């Protein structure tokens, strides 16, 4: 468990995203220097737009070895990939296509498959197959956001999925208040195996939940984002703007 997350507070949302982007690029460049591939899982929601725009901006001014990266997703809504609800669609339009990332480097969650349990099983099989060729079955970086009630990826408070210990990927139900309730998500053990986890949260609407997550002393809080505790040696970094950082 990483009891002491790093917290980086940017002057505004763009600065927070630029800081996260700089760390991601440094990780990619370092791995390329060691001739290592990097497995990155992208987060969902709308905040990643800021990060994607920052990465595109940086790529316009310097050569970044994106060919060393294999792209994954931390979660997905059970919608077609061209849906406005799709986390893949946002990443494809705002990052992967502009960077001309080849399709064989993008591991999309085929969340439109029915039933959702099949989509979860397929993605887990893809992950297990991919990591079979790697020294360790752990992402180099998992990007996450946080919801106002403390969810992260598609792990929601009170969900049985929070207690999963064996599976890498599950199909879950988001609360009925969400536009798409059927979801596919990485499990906590998979997230906590990562070498690095970056949260990106901006805006005053996230201030309360960020404070709760960063200050809770509960051993098993009912705040999924507070149960993201990567192992020893792993990095846990919260990239915030002043509004979210309080
Ligand atoms: C999703 C995300 C989810 C998201 C948070 C924050 O599929 O919705 O994975 O965990 O990161 O809900 O969303 P915003 O960035 O839109 O605030």
């Amino acid at each position: 468990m990483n009891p002491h997350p790093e917290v980086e507070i940017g002057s505004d949302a763009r600065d927070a995203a630029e800081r996260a982007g700089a760390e991601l690029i440094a990780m990619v460049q370092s791995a390329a220097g060691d001739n290592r591939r990097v497995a990155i899982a992208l987060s969902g929601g709308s905040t990643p737009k800021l990060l994607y725009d920052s990465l595109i901006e940086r790529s316009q001014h310097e050569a970044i070895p994106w060919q060393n990266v294999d792209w994954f997703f931390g979660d997905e809504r059970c919608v077609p990939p061209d849906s406005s609800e799709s986390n893949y669609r946002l990443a494809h339009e705002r990052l992967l296509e502009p960077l001309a990332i080849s399709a064989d480097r993008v591991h999309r969650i085929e969340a439109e498959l029915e039933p959702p349990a099949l989509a979860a099983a397929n993605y887990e099989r893809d992950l297990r197959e991919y990591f079979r060729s790697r020294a360790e079955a752990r992402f180099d970086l998992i990007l996450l956001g946080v919801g106002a009630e403390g969810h992260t990826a598609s792990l929601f408070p009170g969900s049985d999925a929070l207690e999963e210990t064996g599976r890498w990927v599950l199909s879950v139900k988001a609360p009925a208040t969400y536009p798409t309730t059927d979801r596919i998500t990485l499990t906590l053990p998979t997230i906590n195996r990562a070498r690095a986890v970056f949260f990106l949260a901006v805006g005053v609407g996230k201030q309360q939940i960020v404070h709760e997550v960063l200050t809770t002393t509960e051993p098993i809080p009912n705040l999924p984002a507070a149960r993201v505790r990567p192992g020893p040696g792993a990095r846990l970094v919260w990239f915030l703007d002043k509004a979210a950082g309080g």
Side-chain angles (χ1 to χ4, degrees), residues 42-48 74-77 85 87 144-149 151-156 178 183 200 202 206:
L42 298 173
S43 63
S46 56
T47 303
D75 72 320
E76 186 57 278
R77 294 82 178 273
E85 277 289 297
N87 292 332
L144 293 174
V146 62
E149 86 291 66
H151 83 261
T152 192
S154 283
L155 296 168
F156 291 85
Y178 284 81
R183 307 277 188 100
L200 178 59
V202 298
K206 297 290 174 75

Side-chain angles (χ1 to χ4, degrees), residues 154-169:
S154 283
L155 296 168
F156 291 85
S159 168
D160 292 343
L162 293 168
E163 310 319 320
E164 176 62 40
T165 55
R167 295 289 304 276
W168 295 15
V169 181

